[in-house]
Structure formats: structure tokens, C-alpha cells
Amino acid sequence: MRTQVGIIGAGPSGLLLSQLLHLQGIDSVVLERRSADYVLGRIRAGVLEQGMVDMLRAAGCSERMDREGLVHDGFEICFGENRQRIDLKKHTGTSVMVYGQTELTKDLMDAREAAGAAVVYEAEDVQILDLDTDTPRLIYQKDGTEHEVVCDYIAGCDGFHGISRRAMPESVLKEHERVYPFGWLGILSETKPVADELIYVNHWRGFALCSMRSMTRSRYYIQCAFDENLEEWTDDRFWDELRVRLPGEAAESIEMGPSIEKSIAPLRSFVAEPMRHGRLFLAGDAAHIVPPTGAKGLNLAASDIYFLSNALTGFYADGRTDLMDSYSEKCLNRIWKAERFSWWMTTVLHRFPEQNSFDRGIQLAELEYLTTSEPAQASFAENYVGLPFE
Ligand code: RFL
Ligand code: PHB
């Protein structure tokens, strides 16, 4: 098979890129290791920045999101007896959209299918070959046969554990990492969310977050040990621990019910640079990871795809190579700021095992300052709704 852009991974990054390229008349083939059902079974992000919402509209995939997504103008931060609303709308003039990654991925899959796109699921053992030539190739196994895709360019959209990043020469790639000494235990339940907006909680027993997917489906998280055994967390134990960490009113009014999904996510900050080597471009989680506290992972994937789709369109439409040349730098500029914000939010909201009374004092001072200073809230809100794509 011959294509212009070979895309590895059918997560949000790969599917959005393939859809945006299609709208510009650029051909692509997407190779995904898992089945479509498996991809849709992963419960992940829930908060979309305005920039990502605009991209989904531009991609022609926003109809259901515009109908079912929940626009949130603010959220709450709680610590000790304090409960403070951060007014996103007042400080930034914009909002965020609460719409699940699962739904968004489904919308992108449907759009790709409707356009008759080449998306190959259960493509095993994908390998990148001839990266140092003008026609790099992807080979993969499917149904016991080897297949080949000859490409002009390759987009590595295959997440943190994918193969693309590892295809970059070791002498070129620099990796920066921080692993946090805890994880998030999350559940999804068919219950009414405890509040209309998200609630982030710093509690001495550990962080908690009340989120949602709709007005009848809740998503809750609690900080747990990084090596926690999921089997030991019955629904009852989860609800008990969550309620201990929530402010009194919320703990009393929360609707509980059986979990329909329960999982543990490790927390990590990671950046790989550069994000381009020759004809290979990395995008999304393949190049960077943020802890979920700032709700930035999916949104960063979208901004990478914004820069990458513009760069490829510039090349195919006008023969420009400058946008491809500046791709890595442009992405990384925005990524490091989101890394800073996510690291900061994680640091002030979680309980660290080695935390001493000085560390706790600083943490409380950060939260006290944030919740009493308008300029601090304005800066926080600016980062939460997402910095501009520039
Ligand atoms: P994905 O979604 O990991 O997709 C990569 C795809 O590549 C496939 N793949 C391969 N395919 C072919 N060959 C190979 N060798 C392959 N190796 C892997 C995989 O099967 C997969 O389908 O990466 P992508 O597209 O870059 O998207 C990134 C986002 O998924 C991620 O950043 C977010 O989910 C992070 N995140 C959040 N982000 C937000 O912006 N807002 C949030 O509220 C938010 N909440 C979260 C989150 C992530 C979480 N977890 C579980 C880590 C909450 C959680 C709990
Ligand atoms: C979610 O709804 O899954 C979610 C919301 C906000 C975050 C992280 C995850 O900061």
C-alpha cells in the first residue's frame, strides 16, 4: 500500500490527525495494535479545553459533543475547612467542556469510517523501516500475513508505550521524567454527580476528585499507593474513603452505586525531545505524559495535532517545509508550560509520603494564596482553560 502519511495509533491523536488531513485532501493510513472495542473501553480524560473543542468542530466531529457535552464555567478547590470556587469564565472569558475521551474517540472513529478511511485495527508488530530514506515504510502483521505501507511521512501517535519514540536514534532523543510516589484509583458509576462542577480536594489522607461524564454518570478518583492492589478495593471501600475526603455537605449528599469501571493509573511527568527526526513526527502521549491532575494530557495531544496537521498541509498544499521544521519547537514550548502546570497542581493537591511539616506548610500556603488572591486565580484559570496555540 502507498500513502502520504502513515499514522501509528488510533487514539485521539492518530484519529484526529487522519481526519484533519482527510479534510485537506491528504491521504493517510492508521495502524492500531488493538481492536476498536478495546480502544473505546479505556476510560480516560473528561475535560476538553476550548482549543480542542474548536478543533473537533473544524474536523466536523462535534455534533454529539455540542449536544451532550457539559460546558463548565468553573470548579471547586477544597482543603481543610476551605471550599473555593475558581471562576474560569470570569478570569478568562472561556470555559471547558466536560465530554469523555471515549465518546470523542467514538465520534472520530465514526467520522473516519463514514469517509471510508483506511484504519487497520489489530495490526500486530508494527515496525518502522527505512526512516533515513525519502520513502519510509511501515510493516505489520495481520491475520498471519505481513503487510507494508510505503509513506512520505510517519506520525507516531502510539502513546507512551508505543514503538515510535524508540525508533528515534538514542543519540538524538533526550528524555525528562518524574514519577510520583502514588497513583489514582478511579471509578465510573451510573449515579448523579455530587455537584454541577468538578471538585478537587486536598485532604490529609490524600487527594480526591469528583468529576462526571454526564448528569447521570459520575467519575470519581482518590489518591492511592502506586502499588495498590485493585482487587482489595470493593465499591464500598471506595465510597467510604471518598466520603472521608470530601467536604461534609458533599459527603452527605453523594449518590453511591455500583462501579461500572474501576482502574488504577500511575502518575508521571515525561517529555521527549525533539519530537521530529527526519520524516518521523511524534505526537500526544508518544512524546509526553502529564499527571492527570491538570486535565492536560488529551488537550496537549490535540495541540500537537494542530501543529502537525498545519505543517503537513503547508507541505502538501504549498510545498512549505518551514512548519515541519518548527514543529518540535512549537509543540515543546506549549508542552513544557502544561508540564509545569500539571506538576504544580499535583504537588499542591496530593499527600507525599515523605512530606514533613515544612512541606505541608508550603502546600497550605500555596492553596491559601490561590484561594484568596484574584491575580493567582486568574493565572490558574488561564492555564486550566488552556494556553493559546501559538
Ligand atoms: P493514546 O490514547 O494512548 O493512544 C495511542 C494508541 O496507540 C496504540 N498503540 C499502537 N498501535 C500500533 N502499534 C503499536 N506498537 C502501538 N502501541 C500503542 C494504542 O493501543 C492506542 O490506541 O494516546 P494519544 O492518542 O496521544 O492520546 C493521549 C490521551 O489518551 C491522554 O493524554 C489522556 O487520556 C490523559 N488524560 C487526560 N487528559 C486530558 O486532557 N484531560 C483529562 O481530564 C484527562 N484525564 C487522562 C485522564 C489519563 C488518565 N489515565 C488513565 C492515564 C485521566 C486518566 C485516569
Ligand atoms: C476526568 O473526568 O476523568 C478528569 C477530570 C479532571 C481531571 C482529571 C480527570 O483533572
Side-chain angles (χ1 to χ4, degrees):
M1 215 183 325
R2 182 75 174 89
T3 192
Q4 289 171 304
V5 183
I7 300 174
I8 311 175
S13 304
L15 291 168
L16 182 57
L17 177 63
S18 129
Q19 175 70 2
L20 289 170
L21 293 179
H22 163 72
L23 295 176
Q24 298 298 327
I26 301 166
D27 185 51
S28 68
V29 172
V30 182
L31 302 181
E32 166 60 49
R33 184 163 63 124
R34 306 287 193 176
S35 67
D37 283 347
Y38 184 96
V39 171
L40 291 174
R42 293 189 290 230
I43 306 299
R44 290 191 171 173
V47 177
L48 311 184
E49 295 172 357
Q50 189 61 45
M52 176 156 204
V53 168
D54 292 342
M55 282 183 76
L56 291 165
R57 289 186 183 141
C61 302
S62 64
E63 194 201 291
R64 199 160 63 101
M65 174 190 74
D66 282 326
R67 201 173 56 239
E68 297 175 9
L70 306 169
V71 175
H72 282 206
D73 292 340
F75 60 87
E76 274 192 289
I77 297 246
C78 302
F79 62 104
E81 297 301 307
N82 302 280
R83 207 170 161 173
Q84 175 70 41
R85 180 169 188 264
I86 305 292
D87 192 331
L88 299 173
K89 188 87 183 189
K90 179 176 90 180
H91 290 296
T92 67
T94 51
S95 317
V96 291
M97 173 82 84
V98 173
Y99 188 64
Q101 178 168 332
T102 307
E103 308 311 318
L104 173 156
T105 306
K106 175 88 174 62
D107 298 343
L108 286 165
M109 281 179 176
D110 289 350
R112 295 288 46 227
E113 196 180 330
V119 183
V120 182
Y121 290 95
E122 300 181 75
E124 288 167 32
D125 196 18
V126 175
Q127 291 177 42
I128 302 174
L129 302 176
D130 302 339
L131 190 52
D132 49 0
T133 71
D134 286 347
T135 49
R137 289 183 296 137
L138 295 173
I139 56 166
Y140 65 97
Q141 312 291 323
K142 171 115 181 154
D143 303 327
T145 316
E146 181 166 294
H147 300 262
E148 180 189 67
V149 188
V150 181
C151 318
D152 295 341
Y153 292 99
I154 293 175
C157 301
D158 49 352
F160 183 65
H161 299 288
I163 53 139
S164 304
R165 191 176 64 253
R166 279 176 273 137
M168 307 253 293
E170 261 176 49
S171 57
V172 169
L173 193 70
K174 232 184 173 161
E175 298 185 335
H176 313 270
E177 183 171 51
R178 167 152 308 177
V179 178
Y180 299 88
F182 39 73
W184 277 19
L185 170 61
I187 69 163
L188 194 63
S189 69
E190 296 290 1
T191 52
K192 182 177 171 333
V194 67
D196 290 343
E197 296 183 336
L198 271 58
I199 308 177
Y200 290 85
V201 187
N202 171 310
H203 188 274
W204 66 269
R205 288 177 66 89
F207 170 81
L209 169 61
C210 304
S211 183
M212 65 191 74
R213 289 293 175 271
S214 70
M215 289 320 288
T216 56
R217 187 174 274 201
S218 301
R219 179 74 167 153
Y220 295 109
Y221 297 100
I222 53 174
Q223 176 184 348
C224 64
F226 71 95
D227 56 355
E228 197 80 54
N229 181 0
L230 190 59
E231 306 292 305
E232 289 171 13
W233 282 90
T234 59
D235 289 356
D236 285 346
R237 183 175 170 208
F238 182 92
W239 291 116
D240 286 347
E241 185 60 38
L242 176 67
R243 289 170 69 214
V244 166
R245 298 183 192 188
L246 295 186
E249 238 174 89
E252 276 156 36
S253 64
I254 194 165
E255 186 187 328
M256 294 172 279
S259 62
I260 51 174
E261 194 267 357
K262 194 187 284 163
S263 53
I264 295 177
L267 265 69
R268 179 195 304 271
S269 297
F270 174 86
V271 180
E273 47 189 353
M275 288 169 61
R276 175 198 178 182
H277 179 67
R279 289 174 176 264
L280 171 65
F281 295 86
L282 302 180
D285 279 15
H288 42 78
I289 295 289
V290 283
T293 328
K296 290 278 162 259
L298 175 60
N299 292 298
L300 276 183
S303 57
D304 291 353
I305 296 305
Y306 172 85
F307 293 122
L308 185 52
S309 59
N310 282 347
L312 290 166
T313 302
F315 173 72
Y316 284 110
D318 304 316
R320 288 176 65 174
T321 53
D322 58 320
L323 297 176
M324 293 199 281
D325 293 341
S326 60
Y327 169 73
S328 181
E329 197 187 327
K330 279 219 146 82
C331 290
L332 285 162
N333 188 295
R334 192 172 188 277
I335 289 160
W336 275 110
K337 290 176 192 149
E339 290 281 348
R340 181 201 71 82
F341 179 70
S342 306
W343 160 82
W344 181 82
M345 238 180 121
T346 303
T347 306
V348 300
L349 287 173
H350 289 75
R351 181 196 160 110
F352 284 72
E354 71 284 10
Q355 196 167 37
N356 63 22
S357 60
F358 179 83
D359 302 323
R360 180 68 179 153
I362 293 289
Q363 207 180 42
L364 292 173
E366 288 273 13
L367 289 166
E368 187 71 37
Y369 175 56
L370 172 67
T371 52
T372 54
S373 157
E374 288 283 315
Q377 283 169 40
S379 162
F380 184 57
E382 181 189 28
N383 282 277
Y384 193 88
V385 300
L387 296 174
F389 294 5
E390 55 186 24

